[in-house]
Amino acid sequence: MTKLVAHTRRAFVRNVTLGAGALAMFRGIGLLAAQASGDTKVKAIFIDFDKCSGCRTCEMACSAFNHRADVGGKMMEGLGNPELSNIRVWHYNPDVDVPVTCFLCSDAPCVETCPVEKHPSTGRKALYRDPLLHTVVCDYDRCIGCGSCAVVCASSRGGVIERNPENGKPGRICTLCGGDPSCVKYCTYGALSFREIELDEPLRNMKPGDIAGKLIEKYYEITHRVN
Amino acid sequence: MNGYYGKLLDVNLSNGKVKVIDIPESDMRNFIGGRGLGMKILTDRIKKPGLDPLSPANPLLFMPGPFCGLPIPNSSRTCVVTKSPRTNPANPLYKHSSGIGYANMGGFFGPELRFAGYDAMVVTGKARKPVYICIEDDRVEIRDASKYWGMKTDEFDRKFIEDLGDRRFESCYIGPAGENLVPMACIINTAARAAGRGGTGCVMGSKNLKAIAVRGTKSPQVANHEKFLELLELSRKTFAGLDDGVKRWRASGTTGALENSSNNGTQAVKNFREGTFEEVQKIGTLANREKIWKRDFACFTCQLACKKSGNAKGAYGTLVHDGPEYETGTMLGTNLLISDLNGLQKLIYDGDDYGLDIISAGNVIGFLMECYEKGLIDTDFLDGIDLRWGSVDATLEMLRKISYRDGIGDKASRGVKYMAALIGKGSENFAIHVKGHELAAWNVHRNPGSYGITYTMSNRGACHLSGGSKTAQDSMALRDSLGTCSFASSWFRNDLHYRHFMSAITGIEWSEKEFVMAGERIFNLEKMFNYREGFRRGDDVLPERFYTEPYTIGAAKGAVVNRDSFEGIQNKFYDERGWDRETTRPLKETIDRLGLGYFLL
């Protein structure tokens, strides 16, 4: 029997150290190290909505990477479970498919709104920016589970943050898989790529329904309001 | 058993009871899942022949396969299994003699059912008023659907998901055709995909069941995790290579076959009179790319994205829908001599919107067009419809009338076999069905050895996906049972053969022999069910047209089926199957070899 284990940073480091993919991973991180935090241009997941076919392979790949399986004491990628995925493909009728994951918003309203005081030595709130990857990270030991981050993400951005039903703490925040995003790796349609982009370019930082509305207008030349 | 939950969700709509029943391990081993396991459960529930398919006792099964919910590329398929209201034997032994029905749909429904923790779902009984079933993992509710009754599928698809308040739900549902108990009604999902054939939507309607919604948070596990990941990586790499096959599917889906088939003389044209349509390029891939298609869309974990959506503009307005595929484009296009692309897309949209089996609908309308042209029926018979070849308007009106069983539509809704008996005057010769089920878009004249066997030996009545030989039938039965898509099967060969996945999933080493035998077992069980209902050799016959009317045009001009030679092919087939030539009854040694002795003939 296998057991699913959340893929924490600690587990990641351990796996990288032990795993065969260690070299490739570190090369990815090396590239990113040059990038200064706070830039509007960072390396992020770029979504080409024209190319997404809605197959949701990315959801399976993301959740498999970020939720490891304990196979008889050996930590391996899981099989994937869309419920645990940090990227989600939203389907609409008329047919458009909208993959949405943490946009790494340059102003990060989720971090802004986090009410936990900055840590005296690290200067970090419970929710903070990873200096290396630019991802939003939660310090679960300090997080009070208030849910402010999820609220502001849902009301003004992609609504990717979901709260753990047991303790209210945020989840589903993209980890970039430590620098080599699995979703990108397994998207054969070329809809996802990991590259340097302008964080505020069109169709980013929006709710999936609003993106869908714009895409429906673009492809089918009709106005259609969706939630 | 590893890879399965071993759980059957059982919903009885008569008394509102919901149960979760353990599935015996031997059933999973012997019948795999999907179509096969569905058939096993059906035979456990229907102990005697002659059950009225529209009675509350007829089980309606929704069957994902063991591949569903796993990340294996192209594993999205759900098989709907039930006793069909569409087929009946020439000499029925019972008032309600009918054959088995199964219909396979892509999309996301089956995987989601597995994420909710079920390998199978059965609906029995009949609700007092329209209802839908809502499944969220262990929570299963039967809810009022009165406000949705009468709603067509496109509007329903949009409204239902908004009302559910969570776009992570997957659903399937019927349209007005199913509600009105049109025998050729289908079950639709995502407003575009269908469990199209065999009248599954009619059975669903007879239960007052408008829809099923499901959302799950679990995931199936496998026995040999490491081996599974190896196979997964290899299969993903195979598709990522974007070879010509992958590119072709993405570029044109099944639509590419429209022109190829026409050029080869294998297309259904003018009620199967011809195999070639001169104007086919007007509705072919290039025309669609230029005028309609905007996006490709895929089913769960699919690497081929054969479906294309877009909008045609013209006399029938701007409407957004998936564009013509080979089946829809042929049955509502070339078979009716329709080449107006905007009109064709409107027809397909309406057919899906009503929840009709477009193959059967296009077939029966083609038959009536021929009867009308030949003067066997007149406009009075047709409620005033001028049902000429090529008329989009007349076809639209027929689709509406069939879906609401209005006048001529009520008659036509029963299919081409019924219509031929009603009209008579030799029309039986060009009533294109086997066992009462209409033929699909591939014509027979040119390839009787393959398509003749496919159609005459298919257990659900004429079906183009049943397989043209014993080997093909057994492997199709397997694919439909695994939950994988037949379009992707050519990439799952050698080291990537499905049986290797099954070995990793279940932890049981599947030998090639045992694997193939499972497909054979499934096909035979279906056959035994039909035999018990009274289907015999006289039901395995091709329509007369194929023997007597050679093509007059196209590359295969002159092609016609030779009766003696075809019957010889059939004899060989029965021998190979281990069935009696005269009666088609599976022989005792065949039944014993496959371990099907539990089913009493």
mmCIF file of all heavy atoms in Angstrom, chain B residues 354-376:
data_model
loop_
_atom_site.group_PDB
_atom_site.id
_atom_site.type_symbol
_atom_site.label_atom_id
_atom_site.label_comp_id
_atom_site.label_asym_id
_atom_site.label_seq_id
_atom_site.Cartn_x
_atom_site.Cartn_y
_atom_site.Cartn_z
ATOM 1 N N TYR B 354 -30.811 18.068 -28.687
ATOM 2 C CA TYR B 354 -31.970 17.249 -28.315
ATOM 3 C C TYR B 354 -31.546 15.986 -27.573
ATOM 4 O O TYR B 354 -32.360 15.338 -26.935
ATOM 5 C CB TYR B 354 -32.743 16.802 -29.565
ATOM 6 C CG TYR B 354 -33.407 17.901 -30.361
ATOM 7 C CD1 TYR B 354 -33.237 17.970 -31.747
ATOM 8 C CD2 TYR B 354 -34.232 18.840 -29.754
ATOM 9 C CE1 TYR B 354 -33.856 18.954 -32.506
ATOM 10 C CE2 TYR B 354 -34.852 19.841 -30.518
ATOM 11 C CZ TYR B 354 -34.653 19.884 -31.892
ATOM 12 O OH TYR B 354 -35.265 20.854 -32.638
ATOM 13 N N GLY B 355 -30.284 15.607 -27.714
ATOM 14 C CA GLY B 355 -29.820 14.350 -27.125
ATOM 15 C C GLY B 355 -30.203 13.147 -27.954
ATOM 16 O O GLY B 355 -30.671 12.131 -27.441
ATOM 17 N N LEU B 356 -29.978 13.261 -29.271
ATOM 18 C CA LEU B 356 -30.317 12.172 -30.193
ATOM 19 C C LEU B 356 -29.061 11.421 -30.626
ATOM 20 O O LEU B 356 -28.000 12.019 -30.758
ATOM 21 C CB LEU B 356 -30.933 12.752 -31.471
ATOM 22 C CG LEU B 356 -32.427 12.975 -31.562
ATOM 23 C CD1 LEU B 356 -32.742 13.465 -32.970
ATOM 24 C CD2 LEU B 356 -33.216 11.703 -31.269
ATOM 25 N N ASP B 357 -29.210 10.121 -30.880
ATOM 26 C CA ASP B 357 -28.156 9.344 -31.529
ATOM 27 C C ASP B 357 -28.126 9.801 -32.992
ATOM 28 O O ASP B 357 -29.016 9.458 -33.777
ATOM 29 C CB ASP B 357 -28.495 7.855 -31.420
ATOM 30 C CG ASP B 357 -27.586 6.969 -32.271
ATOM 31 O OD1 ASP B 357 -26.688 7.499 -32.959
ATOM 32 O OD2 ASP B 357 -27.796 5.748 -32.232
ATOM 33 N N ILE B 358 -27.117 10.578 -33.346
ATOM 34 C CA ILE B 358 -27.069 11.190 -34.678
ATOM 35 C C ILE B 358 -26.903 10.136 -35.770
ATOM 36 O O ILE B 358 -27.407 10.290 -36.878
ATOM 37 C CB ILE B 358 -25.968 12.270 -34.726
ATOM 38 C CG1 ILE B 358 -26.463 13.515 -33.974
ATOM 39 C CG2 ILE B 358 -25.567 12.613 -36.160
ATOM 40 C CD1 ILE B 358 -25.487 14.652 -33.899
ATOM 41 N N ILE B 359 -26.241 9.039 -35.450
ATOM 42 C CA ILE B 359 -26.070 7.981 -36.450
ATOM 43 C C ILE B 359 -27.428 7.401 -36.839
ATOM 44 O O ILE B 359 -27.790 7.332 -38.012
ATOM 45 C CB ILE B 359 -25.132 6.874 -35.917
ATOM 46 C CG1 ILE B 359 -23.714 7.428 -35.776
ATOM 47 C CG2 ILE B 359 -25.157 5.651 -36.840
ATOM 48 C CD1 ILE B 359 -22.717 6.461 -35.147
ATOM 49 N N SER B 360 -28.209 7.011 -35.844
ATOM 50 C CA SER B 360 -29.516 6.430 -36.134
ATOM 51 C C SER B 360 -30.457 7.461 -36.753
ATOM 52 O O SER B 360 -31.214 7.160 -37.673
ATOM 53 C CB SER B 360 -30.144 5.857 -34.858
ATOM 54 O OG SER B 360 -29.534 4.622 -34.542
ATOM 55 N N ALA B 361 -30.406 8.690 -36.249
ATOM 56 C CA ALA B 361 -31.296 9.737 -36.769
ATOM 57 C C ALA B 361 -30.986 10.016 -38.237
ATOM 58 O O ALA B 361 -31.895 10.083 -39.077
ATOM 59 C CB ALA B 361 -31.164 11.005 -35.931
ATOM 60 N N GLY B 362 -29.676 10.156 -38.571
ATOM 61 C CA GLY B 362 -29.301 10.415 -39.956
ATOM 62 C C GLY B 362 -29.674 9.253 -40.860
ATOM 63 O O GLY B 362 -30.059 9.437 -42.015
ATOM 64 N N ASN B 363 -29.579 8.055 -40.308
ATOM 65 C CA ASN B 363 -29.904 6.866 -41.084
ATOM 66 C C ASN B 363 -31.408 6.809 -41.404
ATOM 67 O O ASN B 363 -31.809 6.625 -42.560
ATOM 68 C CB ASN B 363 -29.462 5.630 -40.296
ATOM 69 C CG ASN B 363 -29.604 4.341 -41.081
ATOM 70 O OD1 ASN B 363 -30.657 4.088 -41.672
ATOM 71 N ND2 ASN B 363 -28.571 3.514 -41.083
ATOM 72 N N VAL B 364 -32.237 7.021 -40.410
ATOM 73 C CA VAL B 364 -33.688 6.904 -40.643
ATOM 74 C C VAL B 364 -34.189 8.047 -41.534
ATOM 75 O O VAL B 364 -35.074 7.857 -42.374
ATOM 76 C CB VAL B 364 -34.483 6.808 -39.309
ATOM 77 C CG1 VAL B 364 -34.565 8.132 -38.586
ATOM 78 C CG2 VAL B 364 -35.894 6.256 -39.553
ATOM 79 N N ILE B 365 -33.563 9.223 -41.404
ATOM 80 C CA ILE B 365 -33.971 10.337 -42.266
ATOM 81 C C ILE B 365 -33.549 10.042 -43.720
ATOM 82 O O ILE B 365 -34.316 10.281 -44.659
ATOM 83 C CB ILE B 365 -33.386 11.676 -41.755
ATOM 84 C CG1 ILE B 365 -34.044 12.042 -40.420
ATOM 85 C CG2 ILE B 365 -33.607 12.796 -42.777
ATOM 86 C CD1 ILE B 365 -33.400 13.192 -39.670
ATOM 87 N N GLY B 366 -32.370 9.459 -43.897
ATOM 88 C CA GLY B 366 -31.934 9.066 -45.238
ATOM 89 C C GLY B 366 -32.878 8.045 -45.863
ATOM 90 O O GLY B 366 -33.219 8.125 -47.043
ATOM 91 N N PHE B 367 -33.304 7.115 -45.042
ATOM 92 C CA PHE B 367 -34.255 6.100 -45.512
ATOM 93 C C PHE B 367 -35.562 6.759 -45.970
ATOM 94 O O PHE B 367 -36.096 6.430 -47.040
ATOM 95 C CB PHE B 367 -34.525 5.109 -44.369
ATOM 96 C CG PHE B 367 -35.654 4.156 -44.630
ATOM 97 C CD1 PHE B 367 -35.465 3.033 -45.424
ATOM 98 C CD2 PHE B 367 -36.921 4.388 -44.095
ATOM 99 C CE1 PHE B 367 -36.519 2.147 -45.675
ATOM 100 C CE2 PHE B 367 -37.981 3.505 -44.334
ATOM 101 C CZ PHE B 367 -37.773 2.393 -45.128
ATOM 102 N N LEU B 368 -36.060 7.694 -45.178
ATOM 103 C CA LEU B 368 -37.321 8.358 -45.535
ATOM 104 C C LEU B 368 -37.157 9.234 -46.777
ATOM 105 O O LEU B 368 -38.072 9.344 -47.593
ATOM 106 C CB LEU B 368 -37.844 9.180 -44.353
ATOM 107 C CG LEU B 368 -38.365 8.330 -43.181
ATOM 108 C CD1 LEU B 368 -38.704 9.209 -41.979
ATOM 109 C CD2 LEU B 368 -39.601 7.515 -43.599
ATOM 110 N N MET B 369 -35.985 9.852 -46.919
ATOM 111 C CA MET B 369 -35.723 10.643 -48.131
ATOM 112 C C MET B 369 -35.814 9.744 -49.361
ATOM 113 O O MET B 369 -36.367 10.127 -50.390
ATOM 114 C CB MET B 369 -34.343 11.302 -48.057
ATOM 115 C CG MET B 369 -34.309 12.538 -47.164
ATOM 116 S SD MET B 369 -32.647 13.258 -47.094
ATOM 117 C CE MET B 369 -33.002 14.826 -46.256
ATOM 118 N N GLU B 370 -35.258 8.546 -49.238
ATOM 119 C CA GLU B 370 -35.293 7.625 -50.378
ATOM 120 C C GLU B 370 -36.732 7.168 -50.660
ATOM 121 O O GLU B 370 -37.153 7.107 -51.816
ATOM 122 C CB GLU B 370 -34.375 6.420 -50.121
ATOM 123 C CG GLU B 370 -34.356 5.460 -51.293
ATOM 124 C CD GLU B 370 -33.147 4.519 -51.299
ATOM 125 O OE1 GLU B 370 -32.232 4.706 -50.465
ATOM 126 O OE2 GLU B 370 -33.136 3.612 -52.147
ATOM 127 N N CYS B 371 -37.466 6.859 -49.605
ATOM 128 C CA CYS B 371 -38.865 6.455 -49.783
ATOM 129 C C CYS B 371 -39.667 7.568 -50.470
ATOM 130 O O CYS B 371 -40.518 7.325 -51.322
ATOM 131 C CB CYS B 371 -39.523 6.135 -48.437
ATOM 132 S SG CYS B 371 -38.947 4.609 -47.698
ATOM 133 N N TYR B 372 -39.369 8.804 -50.071
ATOM 134 C CA TYR B 372 -40.073 9.966 -50.605
ATOM 135 C C TYR B 372 -39.717 10.160 -52.079
ATOM 136 O O TYR B 372 -40.590 10.351 -52.934
ATOM 137 C CB TYR B 372 -39.683 11.193 -49.780
ATOM 138 C CG TYR B 372 -40.366 12.484 -50.156
ATOM 139 C CD1 TYR B 372 -41.764 12.596 -50.175
ATOM 140 C CD2 TYR B 372 -39.610 13.626 -50.458
ATOM 141 C CE1 TYR B 372 -42.377 13.798 -50.497
ATOM 142 C CE2 TYR B 372 -40.217 14.831 -50.779
ATOM 143 C CZ TYR B 372 -41.591 14.912 -50.804
ATOM 144 O OH TYR B 372 -42.196 16.101 -51.116
ATOM 145 N N GLU B 373 -38.422 10.036 -52.385
ATOM 146 C CA GLU B 373 -37.980 10.184 -53.777
ATOM 147 C C GLU B 373 -38.616 9.117 -54.666
ATOM 148 O O GLU B 373 -39.003 9.379 -55.804
ATOM 149 C CB GLU B 373 -36.450 10.066 -53.855
ATOM 150 C CG GLU B 373 -35.907 10.289 -55.257
ATOM 151 C CD GLU B 373 -34.441 9.867 -55.377
ATOM 152 O OE1 GLU B 373 -34.061 8.836 -54.784
ATOM 153 O OE2 GLU B 373 -33.688 10.575 -56.056
ATOM 154 N N LYS B 374 -38.749 7.915 -54.114
ATOM 155 C CA LYS B 374 -39.296 6.813 -54.903
ATOM 156 C C LYS B 374 -40.821 6.799 -54.927
ATOM 157 O O LYS B 374 -41.426 5.886 -55.502
ATOM 158 C CB LYS B 374 -38.778 5.477 -54.352
ATOM 159 C CG LYS B 374 -37.296 5.284 -54.624
ATOM 160 C CD LYS B 374 -36.782 3.948 -54.142
ATOM 161 C CE LYS B 374 -35.410 3.676 -54.771
ATOM 162 N NZ LYS B 374 -34.660 2.674 -54.029
ATOM 163 N N GLY B 375 -41.422 7.746 -54.240
ATOM 164 C CA GLY B 375 -42.875 7.848 -54.253
ATOM 165 C C GLY B 375 -43.571 6.826 -53.375
ATOM 166 O O GLY B 375 -44.774 6.583 -53.518
ATOM 167 N N LEU B 376 -42.837 6.174 -52.465
ATOM 168 C CA LEU B 376 -43.472 5.207 -51.568
ATOM 169 C C LEU B 376 -44.242 5.912 -50.457
ATOM 170 O O LEU B 376 -45.139 5.345 -49.851
ATOM 171 C CB LEU B 376 -42.418 4.265 -50.956
ATOM 172 C CG LEU B 376 -41.453 3.575 -51.930
ATOM 173 C CD1 LEU B 376 -40.540 2.619 -51.181
ATOM 174 C CD2 LEU B 376 -42.212 2.837 -53.027
#
